[in-house]
Amino acid sequence: MACLIIVGTQWGDEGKGKIVDLLTERADAVVRYQGGNNAGHTVMFGNKIFILHMVPSGILRGTTSILGNGVVIDLPELIKEINGLEKMGIDVENQLYISDRAQLVMPWHKKFDQLREQKKGKSKIGTTGRGIGPTYEDKVGRVGIMVGDLLDQKKFGFRLRELAKEKNIFLTKFFDSDEISFYAEDIFKEYVDYLEKLKPCIVDTPFLINQLIKKGKNIIFEGAQGTFLDVDHGTYPFVTSSNTLSGNACVGSGIGPTFITGVLGIVKAYTTRVGNGPFPTELLDGDGRILQTEGNEFGATTGRSRRCGWFDALLVRQAVRLNGITSIAVTKLDVLDKFDTLKIATSYRLPNGEECENFPKSLENVTPVYQEMPGWKCKTKGLVNYDQLPTEMLSYLDKISELVGANVSIISTGPKREETIVLNPDQFWILTN
Ligand code: IMP
Protein backbone atom coordinates (compact mmCIF):
# COMPACT_ATOMS: atom_id res chain seq x y z
CA MET A 1 0.00 0.00 0.00
CA ALA A 2 1.15 3.50 -0.74
CA CYS A 3 -0.51 6.89 -0.89
CA LEU A 4 1.24 9.60 -2.91
CA ILE A 5 0.10 13.20 -2.93
CA ILE A 6 1.00 15.25 -6.00
CA VAL A 7 0.96 19.03 -5.57
CA GLY A 8 1.87 22.12 -7.55
CA THR A 9 4.68 24.15 -5.97
CA GLN A 10 4.02 27.50 -7.64
CA TRP A 11 0.77 29.16 -8.82
CA GLY A 12 -0.69 26.17 -10.65
CA ASP A 13 -0.19 24.99 -14.23
CA GLU A 14 3.09 23.27 -13.35
CA GLY A 15 2.22 20.22 -15.46
CA LYS A 16 0.64 18.06 -12.75
CA GLY A 17 -1.76 16.42 -15.20
CA LYS A 18 1.03 14.86 -17.23
CA ILE A 19 2.92 13.55 -14.19
CA VAL A 20 -0.27 12.17 -12.60
CA ASP A 21 -1.08 10.48 -15.89
CA LEU A 22 2.42 9.01 -16.08
CA LEU A 23 2.42 7.64 -12.52
CA THR A 24 -1.12 6.36 -12.78
CA GLU A 25 0.28 3.46 -14.77
CA ARG A 26 1.19 1.93 -11.42
CA ALA A 27 -1.73 3.24 -9.35
CA ASP A 28 -5.02 1.58 -8.49
CA ALA A 29 -6.92 4.81 -7.89
CA VAL A 30 -6.60 8.56 -8.36
CA VAL A 31 -8.42 10.96 -6.04
CA ARG A 32 -9.12 14.67 -6.41
CA TYR A 33 -9.59 16.33 -3.04
CA GLN A 34 -10.13 20.08 -3.59
CA GLY A 35 -11.09 22.69 -6.16
CA GLY A 36 -13.50 22.27 -9.02
CA ASN A 37 -13.58 22.96 -12.72
CA ASN A 38 -11.33 26.00 -12.19
CA ALA A 39 -8.55 23.45 -12.74
CA GLY A 40 -7.38 22.53 -16.20
CA HIS A 41 -5.07 19.63 -16.95
CA THR A 42 -3.77 18.96 -20.43
CA VAL A 43 -2.68 15.40 -21.10
CA MET A 44 -1.27 14.19 -24.43
CA PHE A 45 -0.89 10.66 -25.60
CA GLY A 46 -0.71 9.21 -29.07
CA ASN A 47 -1.94 12.04 -31.23
CA LYS A 48 -4.77 12.89 -28.86
CA ILE A 49 -4.96 15.88 -26.53
CA PHE A 50 -7.24 15.64 -23.49
CA ILE A 51 -8.14 18.69 -21.43
CA LEU A 52 -9.60 17.73 -18.08
CA HIS A 53 -11.21 20.12 -15.64
CA MET A 54 -12.98 17.98 -13.09
CA VAL A 55 -12.40 14.31 -13.82
CA PRO A 56 -9.09 12.99 -12.39
CA SER A 57 -6.48 12.29 -15.09
CA GLY A 58 -6.45 8.61 -14.01
CA ILE A 59 -9.58 8.09 -16.08
CA LEU A 60 -7.48 8.07 -19.27
CA ARG A 61 -5.72 4.86 -18.18
CA GLY A 62 -8.84 3.09 -16.99
CA THR A 63 -7.97 3.65 -13.33
CA THR A 64 -10.57 4.12 -10.58
CA SER A 65 -11.08 7.88 -10.41
CA ILE A 66 -12.58 9.53 -7.39
CA LEU A 67 -13.96 13.02 -6.77
CA GLY A 68 -13.57 13.38 -3.01
CA ASN A 69 -15.69 15.22 -0.45
CA GLY A 70 -13.45 18.30 -0.65
CA VAL A 71 -14.18 19.13 -4.28
CA VAL A 72 -16.94 21.38 -5.60
CA ILE A 73 -18.91 20.10 -8.57
CA ASP A 74 -20.65 21.96 -11.36
CA LEU A 75 -22.95 19.16 -12.53
CA PRO A 76 -23.79 20.42 -16.05
CA GLU A 77 -20.09 21.02 -16.72
CA LEU A 78 -19.10 17.64 -15.28
CA ILE A 79 -21.61 15.90 -17.51
CA LYS A 80 -20.32 17.81 -20.54
CA GLU A 81 -16.78 16.68 -19.67
CA ILE A 82 -17.88 13.05 -19.22
CA ASN A 83 -19.74 13.10 -22.55
CA GLY A 84 -16.66 14.56 -24.27
CA LEU A 85 -14.40 11.86 -22.82
CA GLU A 86 -16.84 9.12 -23.76
CA LYS A 87 -16.92 10.42 -27.33
CA MET A 88 -13.11 10.03 -27.38
CA GLY A 89 -13.50 6.39 -26.35
CA ILE A 90 -12.84 6.69 -22.60
CA ASP A 91 -15.04 4.60 -20.34
CA VAL A 92 -15.99 7.04 -17.59
CA GLU A 93 -19.14 5.75 -15.95
CA ASN A 94 -17.65 2.46 -14.81
CA GLN A 95 -14.58 4.08 -13.27
CA LEU A 96 -15.78 7.34 -11.77
CA TYR A 97 -16.91 7.69 -8.16
CA ILE A 98 -18.30 10.92 -6.74
CA SER A 99 -18.52 11.75 -3.06
CA ASP A 100 -22.05 12.24 -1.76
CA ARG A 101 -20.57 14.99 0.44
CA ALA A 102 -18.99 17.04 -2.36
CA GLN A 103 -20.59 20.47 -2.66
CA LEU A 104 -22.55 21.54 -5.74
CA VAL A 105 -21.65 24.67 -7.66
CA MET A 106 -25.10 26.15 -8.33
CA PRO A 107 -25.94 28.63 -11.12
CA TRP A 108 -26.01 31.54 -8.66
CA HIS A 109 -22.46 30.79 -7.49
CA LYS A 110 -21.12 31.39 -10.98
CA LYS A 111 -23.17 34.57 -11.30
CA PHE A 112 -21.92 35.87 -7.91
CA ASP A 113 -18.32 35.09 -8.84
CA GLN A 114 -18.59 37.08 -12.06
CA LEU A 115 -20.58 39.99 -10.60
CA ARG A 116 -18.27 40.31 -7.61
CA GLU A 117 -15.25 40.51 -9.88
CA GLN A 118 -16.97 43.19 -11.99
CA LYS A 119 -17.79 45.17 -8.86
CA LYS A 120 -14.18 44.99 -7.64
CA GLY A 121 -12.95 46.64 -10.83
CA LYS A 122 -9.19 47.11 -10.77
CA SER A 123 -8.74 45.20 -7.53
CA LYS A 124 -10.34 42.06 -8.92
CA ILE A 125 -8.72 38.70 -8.19
CA GLY A 126 -8.94 37.47 -11.76
CA THR A 127 -10.87 34.33 -10.88
CA THR A 128 -11.81 31.73 -13.45
CA GLY A 129 -15.44 32.80 -13.02
CA ARG A 130 -16.44 29.20 -12.30
CA GLY A 131 -18.22 29.98 -9.01
CA ILE A 132 -15.54 28.34 -6.86
CA GLY A 133 -15.28 31.05 -4.17
CA PRO A 134 -19.04 31.50 -3.61
CA THR A 135 -19.53 27.71 -3.44
CA TYR A 136 -16.88 27.29 -0.72
CA GLU A 137 -18.37 30.32 1.09
CA ASP A 138 -21.72 28.54 1.23
CA LYS A 139 -20.07 25.30 2.34
CA VAL A 140 -18.38 27.02 5.28
CA GLY A 141 -21.54 29.07 5.88
CA ARG A 142 -23.40 25.74 6.19
CA VAL A 143 -25.96 26.54 3.52
CA GLY A 144 -24.42 24.64 0.60
CA ILE A 145 -26.03 21.75 -1.25
CA MET A 146 -24.15 18.45 -1.27
CA VAL A 147 -24.27 15.93 -4.14
CA GLY A 148 -25.99 13.45 -1.80
CA ASP A 149 -28.81 15.96 -1.17
CA LEU A 150 -30.00 15.32 -4.72
CA LEU A 151 -30.95 11.78 -3.76
CA ASP A 152 -33.80 13.06 -1.55
CA GLN A 153 -35.77 15.00 -4.15
CA LYS A 154 -38.33 16.42 -1.72
CA LYS A 155 -35.64 17.85 0.53
CA PHE A 156 -33.57 19.02 -2.44
CA GLY A 157 -36.58 20.84 -3.96
CA PHE A 158 -37.33 22.56 -0.66
CA ARG A 159 -33.71 23.68 -0.10
CA LEU A 160 -33.42 24.84 -3.68
CA ARG A 161 -36.53 27.03 -3.50
CA GLU A 162 -35.47 28.58 -0.20
CA LEU A 163 -31.94 29.26 -1.43
CA ALA A 164 -33.05 30.60 -4.81
CA LYS A 165 -35.27 33.15 -3.04
CA GLU A 166 -32.41 34.35 -0.85
CA LYS A 167 -29.85 34.41 -3.65
CA ASN A 168 -32.19 36.32 -5.93
CA ILE A 169 -32.61 39.03 -3.34
CA PHE A 170 -28.85 39.29 -3.02
CA LEU A 171 -28.45 39.43 -6.78
CA THR A 172 -31.04 42.09 -7.38
CA LYS A 173 -30.52 44.28 -4.30
CA PHE A 174 -26.77 44.03 -3.78
CA PHE A 175 -25.52 43.58 -7.31
CA ASP A 176 -28.26 45.67 -8.98
CA SER A 177 -28.61 42.83 -11.38
CA ASP A 178 -32.36 42.90 -11.69
CA GLU A 179 -32.61 41.13 -15.04
CA ILE A 180 -31.23 37.95 -13.55
CA SER A 181 -33.52 35.62 -11.76
CA PHE A 182 -33.30 31.93 -11.11
CA TYR A 183 -36.28 29.72 -11.54
CA ALA A 184 -36.00 27.09 -8.90
CA GLU A 185 -38.41 24.80 -10.75
CA ASP A 186 -36.27 24.77 -13.90
CA ILE A 187 -33.10 24.12 -11.91
CA PHE A 188 -34.87 21.36 -10.00
CA LYS A 189 -35.91 19.54 -13.21
CA GLU A 190 -32.48 19.98 -14.76
CA TYR A 191 -30.64 18.62 -11.69
CA VAL A 192 -32.98 15.66 -11.28
CA ASP A 193 -32.11 14.71 -14.89
CA TYR A 194 -28.38 14.97 -14.15
CA LEU A 195 -28.88 12.75 -11.15
CA GLU A 196 -30.24 9.97 -13.37
CA LYS A 197 -26.94 9.86 -15.26
CA LEU A 198 -24.69 10.09 -12.24
CA LYS A 199 -26.60 8.12 -9.58
CA PRO A 200 -24.51 4.95 -9.95
CA CYS A 201 -21.32 6.98 -9.40
CA ILE A 202 -22.40 8.65 -6.12
CA VAL A 203 -20.92 6.81 -3.14
CA ASP A 204 -19.41 7.21 0.32
CA THR A 205 -15.90 7.93 -1.03
CA PRO A 206 -14.04 8.06 2.33
CA PHE A 207 -15.28 4.50 2.93
CA LEU A 208 -14.25 3.45 -0.59
CA ILE A 209 -10.75 5.00 -0.30
CA ASN A 210 -10.15 3.49 3.16
CA GLN A 211 -11.22 0.09 1.79
CA LEU A 212 -8.69 0.44 -1.04
CA ILE A 213 -5.98 1.32 1.50
CA LYS A 214 -6.92 -1.70 3.59
CA LYS A 215 -6.52 -3.90 0.50
CA GLY A 216 -2.98 -2.56 0.02
CA LYS A 217 -3.73 -0.56 -3.12
CA ASN A 218 -1.64 2.32 -4.48
CA ILE A 219 -3.46 5.64 -4.52
CA ILE A 220 -2.54 9.01 -6.02
CA PHE A 221 -4.04 12.16 -4.53
CA GLU A 222 -4.10 14.69 -7.34
CA GLY A 223 -3.84 18.31 -6.19
CA ALA A 224 -5.35 21.10 -8.25
CA GLN A 225 -4.00 24.66 -8.56
CA GLY A 226 -0.73 25.36 -6.71
CA THR A 227 0.78 26.08 -3.30
CA PHE A 228 0.60 29.88 -3.58
CA LEU A 229 -3.09 29.78 -4.45
CA ASP A 230 -3.82 28.09 -1.10
CA VAL A 231 -6.40 30.10 0.83
CA ASP A 232 -4.33 29.98 4.07
CA HIS A 233 -0.74 30.02 2.80
CA GLY A 234 -0.95 31.66 -0.62
CA THR A 235 -0.77 35.27 -1.77
CA TYR A 236 -4.07 36.15 -0.08
CA PRO A 237 -6.48 37.58 -1.24
CA PHE A 238 -5.19 36.60 -4.70
CA VAL A 239 -5.79 32.92 -4.07
CA THR A 240 -8.40 30.28 -4.76
CA SER A 241 -10.92 29.36 -2.06
CA SER A 242 -9.64 25.93 -1.07
CA ASN A 243 -6.54 24.57 0.65
CA THR A 244 -4.30 23.39 -2.15
CA LEU A 245 -1.57 22.09 0.18
CA SER A 246 -0.85 18.39 0.65
CA GLY A 247 -2.31 18.51 4.18
CA ASN A 248 -5.76 18.95 2.70
CA ALA A 249 -5.53 15.68 0.76
CA CYS A 250 -6.49 13.89 3.97
CA VAL A 251 -9.44 16.11 4.89
CA GLY A 252 -10.66 16.40 1.31
CA SER A 253 -10.73 12.65 0.81
CA GLY A 254 -11.47 11.36 4.30
CA ILE A 255 -8.30 9.44 5.20
CA GLY A 256 -5.86 9.74 8.09
CA PRO A 257 -2.45 11.42 7.66
CA THR A 258 -0.67 8.25 8.83
CA PHE A 259 -1.45 6.60 5.48
CA ILE A 260 0.46 9.14 3.40
CA THR A 261 3.73 7.71 2.14
CA GLY A 262 5.08 10.54 -0.02
CA VAL A 263 4.50 14.00 -1.45
CA LEU A 264 5.73 14.72 -4.95
CA GLY A 265 6.06 18.43 -5.77
CA ILE A 266 5.64 19.49 -9.38
CA VAL A 267 7.99 22.32 -10.28
CA LYS A 268 7.92 24.22 -13.54
CA ALA A 269 11.49 25.13 -14.66
CA TYR A 270 10.39 28.79 -14.68
CA THR A 271 7.38 30.51 -13.09
CA THR A 272 3.89 31.36 -14.34
CA ARG A 273 0.75 32.81 -12.84
CA VAL A 274 -2.80 33.42 -14.12
CA GLY A 275 -4.92 36.16 -12.63
CA ASN A 276 -3.83 39.03 -10.44
CA GLY A 277 -1.54 39.21 -7.42
CA PRO A 278 2.17 39.65 -6.67
CA PHE A 279 4.71 37.83 -8.84
CA PRO A 280 8.28 38.95 -8.00
CA THR A 281 10.10 37.32 -10.94
CA GLU A 282 7.55 38.31 -13.60
CA LEU A 283 9.10 39.31 -16.94
CA LEU A 284 7.28 41.95 -18.95
CA ASP A 285 9.89 41.99 -21.71
CA GLY A 286 10.95 39.85 -24.64
CA ASP A 287 12.19 37.05 -22.37
CA GLY A 288 8.70 36.80 -20.84
CA ARG A 289 7.24 36.59 -24.34
CA ILE A 290 9.67 33.79 -25.27
CA LEU A 291 8.56 31.80 -22.21
CA GLN A 292 4.92 32.41 -23.06
CA THR A 293 5.24 31.35 -26.70
CA GLU A 294 7.69 28.46 -26.28
CA GLY A 295 5.79 27.19 -23.24
CA ASN A 296 2.37 27.71 -24.82
CA GLU A 297 1.41 29.51 -21.64
CA PHE A 298 -2.27 29.99 -22.20
CA GLY A 299 -4.79 28.75 -19.63
CA ALA A 300 -6.43 25.38 -20.28
CA THR A 301 -9.57 26.61 -18.48
CA THR A 302 -10.05 30.23 -19.52
CA GLY A 303 -7.64 30.57 -22.45
CA ARG A 304 -6.09 33.61 -20.72
CA SER A 305 -2.41 34.17 -21.35
CA ARG A 306 -0.30 33.28 -18.33
CA ARG A 307 2.12 35.78 -16.81
CA CYS A 308 5.67 34.36 -17.11
CA GLY A 309 8.93 34.86 -15.22
CA TRP A 310 12.23 33.35 -14.07
CA PHE A 311 12.47 30.50 -11.60
CA ASP A 312 11.91 31.65 -8.02
CA ALA A 313 13.79 29.43 -5.54
CA LEU A 314 12.33 31.11 -2.44
CA LEU A 315 8.84 30.28 -3.61
CA VAL A 316 9.55 26.61 -4.25
CA ARG A 317 11.63 26.22 -1.07
CA GLN A 318 8.62 27.50 0.89
CA ALA A 319 6.39 25.04 -1.01
CA VAL A 320 8.73 22.17 -0.11
CA ARG A 321 8.31 23.12 3.58
CA LEU A 322 4.58 23.73 3.56
CA ASN A 323 3.79 20.48 1.76
CA GLY A 324 6.44 18.19 3.28
CA ILE A 325 7.62 17.42 -0.23
CA THR A 326 9.73 14.27 -0.50
CA SER A 327 10.97 14.78 -4.07
CA ILE A 328 10.30 17.02 -7.06
CA ALA A 329 9.41 16.56 -10.72
CA VAL A 330 10.78 19.39 -12.88
CA THR A 331 8.69 20.12 -15.97
CA LYS A 332 8.98 22.17 -19.17
CA LEU A 333 12.78 22.37 -19.18
CA ASP A 334 12.73 22.26 -22.99
CA VAL A 335 10.98 25.68 -22.96
CA LEU A 336 14.32 27.19 -21.85
CA ASP A 337 16.25 25.74 -24.81
CA LYS A 338 16.73 29.12 -26.58
CA PHE A 339 18.12 31.26 -23.75
CA ASP A 340 21.80 32.31 -23.57
CA THR A 341 21.53 32.76 -19.81
CA LEU A 342 18.95 31.77 -17.24
CA LYS A 343 18.16 33.53 -14.00
CA ILE A 344 17.14 32.08 -10.65
CA ALA A 345 15.85 34.29 -7.82
CA THR A 346 17.86 33.31 -4.75
CA SER A 347 16.81 36.16 -2.42
CA TYR A 348 14.55 39.21 -2.36
CA ARG A 349 15.30 42.85 -1.75
CA LEU A 350 12.55 44.01 0.63
CA PRO A 351 10.88 47.44 0.26
CA ASN A 352 13.08 48.69 3.18
CA GLY A 353 16.24 47.79 1.22
CA GLU A 354 17.10 44.71 3.28
CA GLU A 355 18.02 41.51 1.42
CA CYS A 356 16.36 38.34 2.65
CA GLU A 357 16.74 34.70 1.73
CA ASN A 358 13.80 33.54 3.82
CA PHE A 359 10.26 33.67 2.59
CA PRO A 360 8.90 37.12 3.53
CA LYS A 361 5.50 37.93 5.08
CA SER A 362 4.35 39.44 1.81
CA LEU A 363 5.49 39.23 -1.80
CA GLU A 364 4.18 42.75 -2.53
CA ASN A 365 6.92 45.12 -3.70
CA VAL A 366 9.87 42.76 -3.21
CA THR A 367 12.57 42.77 -5.89
CA PRO A 368 14.24 39.48 -6.80
CA VAL A 369 18.00 39.12 -6.53
CA TYR A 370 19.17 36.75 -9.25
CA GLN A 371 21.92 34.27 -9.78
CA GLU A 372 22.72 33.77 -13.47
CA MET A 373 23.38 30.40 -15.04
CA PRO A 374 24.46 29.59 -18.60
CA GLY A 375 21.75 28.31 -20.93
CA TRP A 376 22.22 25.10 -22.93
CA LYS A 377 21.23 26.55 -26.31
CA CYS A 378 20.30 23.25 -27.91
CA LYS A 379 17.13 21.30 -28.57
CA THR A 380 16.24 19.08 -25.63
CA LYS A 381 12.55 18.56 -26.33
CA GLY A 382 11.67 14.89 -26.21
CA LEU A 383 15.01 13.63 -24.81
CA VAL A 384 14.46 10.45 -22.83
CA ASN A 385 17.95 9.52 -21.64
CA TYR A 386 19.64 11.27 -18.76
CA ASP A 387 23.01 10.94 -20.52
CA GLN A 388 21.72 13.02 -23.45
CA LEU A 389 20.98 16.06 -21.27
CA PRO A 390 23.39 18.98 -21.74
CA THR A 391 25.73 19.69 -18.82
CA GLU A 392 24.29 23.22 -18.44
CA MET A 393 20.85 21.71 -17.90
CA LEU A 394 22.21 19.30 -15.30
CA SER A 395 23.84 22.25 -13.48
CA TYR A 396 20.54 24.17 -13.61
CA LEU A 397 18.72 21.17 -12.13
CA ASP A 398 21.37 20.67 -9.44
CA LYS A 399 21.09 24.34 -8.48
CA ILE A 400 17.29 24.15 -8.23
CA SER A 401 17.50 20.99 -6.14
CA GLU A 402 20.09 22.52 -3.79
CA LEU A 403 18.20 25.81 -3.39
CA VAL A 404 14.76 24.32 -2.77
CA GLY A 405 15.99 21.47 -0.57
CA ALA A 406 14.54 18.49 -2.43
CA ASN A 407 15.91 15.88 -4.80
CA VAL A 408 14.77 15.72 -8.40
CA SER A 409 13.06 12.41 -9.17
CA ILE A 410 11.48 13.18 -12.55
CA ILE A 411 12.51 15.40 -15.47
CA SER A 412 9.93 16.24 -18.11
CA THR A 413 11.18 17.25 -21.56
CA GLY A 414 7.88 17.63 -23.40
CA PRO A 415 4.13 17.28 -23.05
CA LYS A 416 3.90 13.62 -24.10
CA ARG A 417 3.93 10.71 -21.65
CA GLU A 418 7.11 9.29 -23.13
CA GLU A 419 8.98 12.62 -23.00
CA THR A 420 10.05 11.98 -19.42
CA ILE A 421 13.14 10.83 -17.53
CA VAL A 422 12.57 9.09 -14.21
CA LEU A 423 15.75 9.66 -12.21
CA ASN A 424 15.38 8.19 -8.79
CA PRO A 425 12.49 5.77 -8.97
CA ASP A 426 12.97 4.81 -5.33
CA GLN A 427 12.24 8.36 -4.21
CA PHE A 428 8.53 8.24 -4.61
CA TRP A 429 6.45 5.32 -3.53
CA ILE A 430 4.83 4.34 -6.73
CA LEU A 431 7.78 2.56 -8.26
CA THR A 432 8.97 0.98 -5.05
CA ASN A 433 5.85 -1.10 -4.55
P1 IMP B 1 -10.81 30.82 -8.65
O1 IMP B 1 -10.18 29.54 -8.20
O2 IMP B 1 -11.58 30.69 -9.95
O3 IMP B 1 -11.62 31.49 -7.57
O4 IMP B 1 -9.63 31.87 -9.01
C1 IMP B 1 -8.75 32.39 -8.01
C2 IMP B 1 -7.34 32.52 -8.54
O5 IMP B 1 -6.79 31.23 -8.75
C3 IMP B 1 -7.25 33.25 -9.89
O6 IMP B 1 -6.03 33.96 -9.94
C4 IMP B 1 -7.18 32.11 -10.90
O7 IMP B 1 -6.55 32.48 -12.11
C5 IMP B 1 -6.35 31.10 -10.11
N1 IMP B 1 -6.58 29.70 -10.51
C6 IMP B 1 -7.66 28.95 -10.23
N2 IMP B 1 -7.50 27.72 -10.74
C7 IMP B 1 -6.31 27.69 -11.33
C8 IMP B 1 -5.55 26.66 -12.00
O8 IMP B 1 -5.98 25.51 -12.15
N3 IMP B 1 -4.32 27.03 -12.47
C9 IMP B 1 -3.82 28.28 -12.29
N4 IMP B 1 -4.48 29.26 -11.67
C10 IMP B 1 -5.71 28.96 -11.19
Side-chain angles (χ1 to χ4, degrees):
M1 181 287 292
C3 291
L4 178 75
I5 303 172
I6 298 186
V7 285
T9 58
Q10 293 144 322
W11 278 289
D13 308 314
E14 295 90 353
K16 294 179 291 294
K18 173 193 156 163
I19 304 295
V20 172
D21 171 64
L22 180 85
L23 297 180
T24 301
E25 193 181 6
R26 301 197 183 199
D28 301 292
V30 181
V31 183
R32 263 199 66 185
Y33 55 89
Q34 46 75 225
N37 65 335
N38 49 346
H41 288 161
T42 308
V43 180
M44 272 176 86
F45 69 88
N47 49 9
K48 288 186 180 169
I49 299 179
F50 296 87
I51 297 181
L52 300 161
H53 295 289
M54 234 8 275
V55 179
S57 334
I59 208 85
L60 304 177
R61 292 210 189 242
T63 307
T64 298
S65 297
I66 301 170
L67 291 173
N69 53 279
V71 302
V72 294
I73 298 181
D74 184 332
L75 276 189
E77 293 302 319
L78 176 62
I79 288 181
K80 242 192 249 165
E81 191 170 324
I82 293 174
N83 289 342
L85 285 166
E86 285 178 342
K87 263 196 206 135
M88 289 178 91
I90 307 290
D91 172 20
V92 181
E93 267 179 57
N94 294 312
Q95 303 174 66
L96 182 68
Y97 295 91
I98 302 171
S99 169
D100 55 353
R101 302 182 73 90
Q103 294 279 324
L104 289 178
V105 178
M106 299 303 290
W108 51 77
H109 291 133
K110 286 186 272 190
K111 209 77 223 175
F112 279 7
D113 194 0
Q114 289 153 16
L115 289 170
R116 195 171 285 156
E117 286 280 271
Q118 273 169 29
K119 212 173 167 118
K120 280 191 168 151
K122 273 191 177 158
S123 61
K124 71 177 181 185
I125 289 163
T127 71
T128 58
R130 301 289 194 268
I132 306 302
T135 307
Y136 278 113
E137 279 170 39
D138 276 359
K139 172 182 180 173
V140 179
R142 298 163 295 185
V143 293
I145 302 178
M146 299 190 293
V147 169
D149 292 339
L150 289 173
L151 299 167
D152 181 342
Q153 287 187 13
K154 211 169 148 199
K155 199 167 136 200
F156 172 61
F158 177 76
R159 294 277 316 286
L160 188 63
R161 284 172 204 113
E162 288 303 296
L163 276 169
K165 255 190 261 165
E166 182 192 316
K167 301 294 179 188
N168 261 330
I169 292 171
F170 210 80
L171 277 172
T172 51
K173 303 279 183 247
F174 182 71
F175 287 115
D176 290 331
S177 174
D178 45 14
E179 313 99 83
I180 301 150
S181 73
F182 289 108
Y183 299 102
E185 300 317 316
D186 292 347
I187 300 176
F188 179 76
K189 280 198 213 100
E190 206 184 321
Y191 277 63
V192 168
D193 281 350
Y194 297 144
L195 180 66
E196 279 316 302
K197 179 157 173 82
L198 293 179
K199 213 175 194 169
C201 306
I202 301 172
V203 298
D204 175 351
T205 51
F207 180 76
L208 170 67
I209 300 166
N210 278 284
Q211 286 291 102
L212 292 170
I213 291 174
K214 227 175 175 176
K215 287 183 190 154
K217 303 291 184 189
N218 291 336
I219 306 174
I220 288 179
F221 295 84
E222 174 180 350
Q225 291 85 47
T227 296
F228 295 93
L229 289 174
D230 182 281
V231 67
D232 280 84
H233 298 277
T235 43
Y236 192 89
F238 301 101
V239 292
T240 190
S241 294
S242 64
N243 285 110
T244 59
L245 295 190
S246 59
N248 191 31
C250 294
V251 179
S253 57
I255 66 156
T258 43
F259 293 125
I260 302 301
T261 46
V263 182
L264 178 67
I266 313 300
V267 177
K268 197 182 272 188
Y270 49 98
T271 315
T272 60
R273 169 163 209 172
V274 202
N276 296 332
F279 180 175
T281 62
E282 181 170 18
L283 291 167
L284 299 168
D285 57 6
D287 285 343
R289 278 191 296 280
I290 294 178
L291 290 173
Q292 196 175 68
T293 330
E294 295 295 313
N296 192 25
E297 295 296 353
F298 300 93
T301 300
T302 57
R304 287 181 290 178
S305 49
R306 298 179 186 140
R307 300 157 64 192
C308 297
W310 295 120
F311 185 79
D312 187 335
L314 285 86
L315 211 64
V316 179
R317 181 159 66 231
Q318 174 77 344
V320 167
R321 274 192 213 114
L322 292 171
N323 291 291
I325 284 169
T326 44
S327 76
I328 56 173
V330 184
T331 63
K332 300 190 92 163
L333 277 153
D334 54 294
V335 173
L336 303 177
D337 282 357
K338 289 189 176 158
F339 287 96
D340 290 326
T341 39
L342 302 167
K343 288 184 185 173
I344 296 180
T346 50
S347 61
Y348 295 140
R349 177 96 42 215
L350 300 179
N352 65 6
E354 223 176 86
E355 190 175 330
C356 82
E357 281 184 13
N358 292 325
F359 199 75
K361 276 199 198 106
S362 163
L363 292 185
E364 297 281 357
N365 302 317
V366 302
T367 315
V369 178
Y370 290 114
Q371 178 169 341
E372 289 203 10
M373 310 255 328
W376 39 91
K377 297 279 286 171
C378 62
K379 187 174 174 284
T380 63
K381 187 169 184 305
L383 294 184
V384 290
N385 293 317
Y386 185 78
D387 298 339
Q388 295 174 304
L389 299 181
T391 48
E392 293 86 352
M393 184 190 277
L394 296 179
S395 307
Y396 186 71
L397 281 166
D398 280 350
K399 185 48 81 188
I400 287 180
S401 169
E402 177 201 322
L403 289 169
V404 307
N407 289 329
V408 178
S409 55
I410 297 177
I411 298 169
S412 170
T413 56
K416 294 190 182 143
R417 273 177 187 169
E418 55 279 13
E419 292 170 331
T420 319
I421 300 168
V422 179
L423 276 183
N424 298 312
D426 54 333
Q427 280 191 0
F428 47 87
W429 65 268
I430 209 107
L431 300 178
T432 61
N433 276 268

